[in-house]
């Protein structure tokens, strides 16, 4: 994260999400380093994004529990995970099984689990979230709305927001070249209606972060 810690203070951003996708970043020393450098640079951790659900439910649960605890240690109380490629690594059923085990711990620890959509993923569309949220009824488990991935997957962000009021816990802002094809472009140069989506979120009561 050395370039990030150099650049972020210069552009005036204070709230930072950390993608802890490598072994060195999730060790006690790695988390302590994030905490120390945030303090030095006047930054505030707001979320940890870990690697995806998939492959082994026991490993998923222990990995996610560890990151939930480290989020608490950093003071951010929010973790974010997507799934594996569609119909691989245990599919959506494996994600649901892991979330069923994690939800009580999330409530006890007061850590939000934001489940992120990706195109061509086990977590991709409205039907996937219907199954997840019907199986795991928890105020601490909800949606990370990745607006570019929904457009890329051919799913209306507005339909998602209207279908799941109060369940969007986190938002990733992203832009894609065309609806139904996941190809990212610099934000503001594609077809994703970021302003309209954020307005609809606010109308539905969203007051969280925009990443």
């Amino acid at each position: 994260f050395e370039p990030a810690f150099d650049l972020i203070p210069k552009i005036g951003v204070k709230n930072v999400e950390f993608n802890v996708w490598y072994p060195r970043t999730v060790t006690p020393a790695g988390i302590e380093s994030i905490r120390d450098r945030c303090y030095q640079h006047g930054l505030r951790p707001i979320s940890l994004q870990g690697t995806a659900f998939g492959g082994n439910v026991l490993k998923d649960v222990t990995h996610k529990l560890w990151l939930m605890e480290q989020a608490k240690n950093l003071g951010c109380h929010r973790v974010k995970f997507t799934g594996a490629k569609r119909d691989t690594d245990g599919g959506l059923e494996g994600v649901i099984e892991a979330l069923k085990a994690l939800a009580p711990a999330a409530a006890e620890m007061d850590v939000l689990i934001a489940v992120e959509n990706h195109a061509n993923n086990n977590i991709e569309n409205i039907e996937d979230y219907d199954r997840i949220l019907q199986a795991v009824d928890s105020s601490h488990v909800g949606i990370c709305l990745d607006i570019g991935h929904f457009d890329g997957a051919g799913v209306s962000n507005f339909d998602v927001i209207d279908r799941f009021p109060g369940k969007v816990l986190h938002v990733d802002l992203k832009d894609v070249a065309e609806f139904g094809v996941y190809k990212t472009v610099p934000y503001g140069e594609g077809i994703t209606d970021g302003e309209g989506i954020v307005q609809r979120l606010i109308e539905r009561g969203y007051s969280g972060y925009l990443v």
Side-chain angles (χ1 to χ4, degrees), residues 24-38:
R24 66 182 182 275
T25 58
V26 299
T27 63
I31 297 295
E32 188 68 22
S33 176
I34 291 173
R35 184 198 345 266
D36 289 347
R37 287 182 291 165
C38 282

Side-chain angles (χ1 to χ4, degrees), residues 97-119:
E97 187 177 352
L99 284 170
K100 284 181 176 179
L102 290 166
E108 182 178 346
M109 298 165 69
D110 194 22
V111 173
L112 301 177
I113 302 175
V115 183
E116 182 184 3
N117 62 293
H118 273 192

Side-chain angles (χ1 to χ4, degrees), residues 197-211:
I197 292 165
V198 171
Q199 183 60 42
R200 182 67 63 85
L201 283 163
I202 293 169
E203 291 169 359
R204 297 292 184 268
Y206 184 73
S207 59
Y209 295 104
L210 305 173
V211 179

Side-chain angles (χ1 to χ4, degrees), residues 184-200:
T184 58
V185 294
Y187 191 79
E189 296 183 10
I191 57 85
T192 301
D193 181 11
E195 183 175 349
I197 292 165
V198 171
Q199 183 60 42
R200 182 67 63 85

Side-chain angles (χ1 to χ4, degrees), residues 13-18 43-48 71 74-80 112 114 143-147 168-174 194 197-198 201-202 205-211:
V13 171
K14 296 295 183 183
N15 297 325
V16 184
E17 176 173 277
F18 289 92
L43 304 178
R44 179 173 178 254
I46 58 97
S47 176
L48 294 181
L74 291 171
C76 60
H77 294 266
R78 182 180 275 98
V79 291
K80 181 173 84 176
L112 301 177
I143 298 169
C144 171
L145 187 83
D146 188 312
I147 67 174
V168 176
L169 304 180
H170 204 57
V171 175
D172 283 3
L173 300 179
K174 191 177 295 179
I197 292 165
V198 171
L201 283 163
I202 293 169
Y206 184 73
S207 59
Y209 295 104
L210 305 173
V211 179

Side-chain angles (χ1 to χ4, degrees), residues 65 67-70 72 77 104-111 140:
L65 280 172
L67 287 187
M68 289 157 64
E69 184 65 35
Q70 300 320 304
K72 281 188 64 177
H77 294 266
E108 182 178 346
M109 298 165 69
D110 194 22
V111 173
H140 285 71

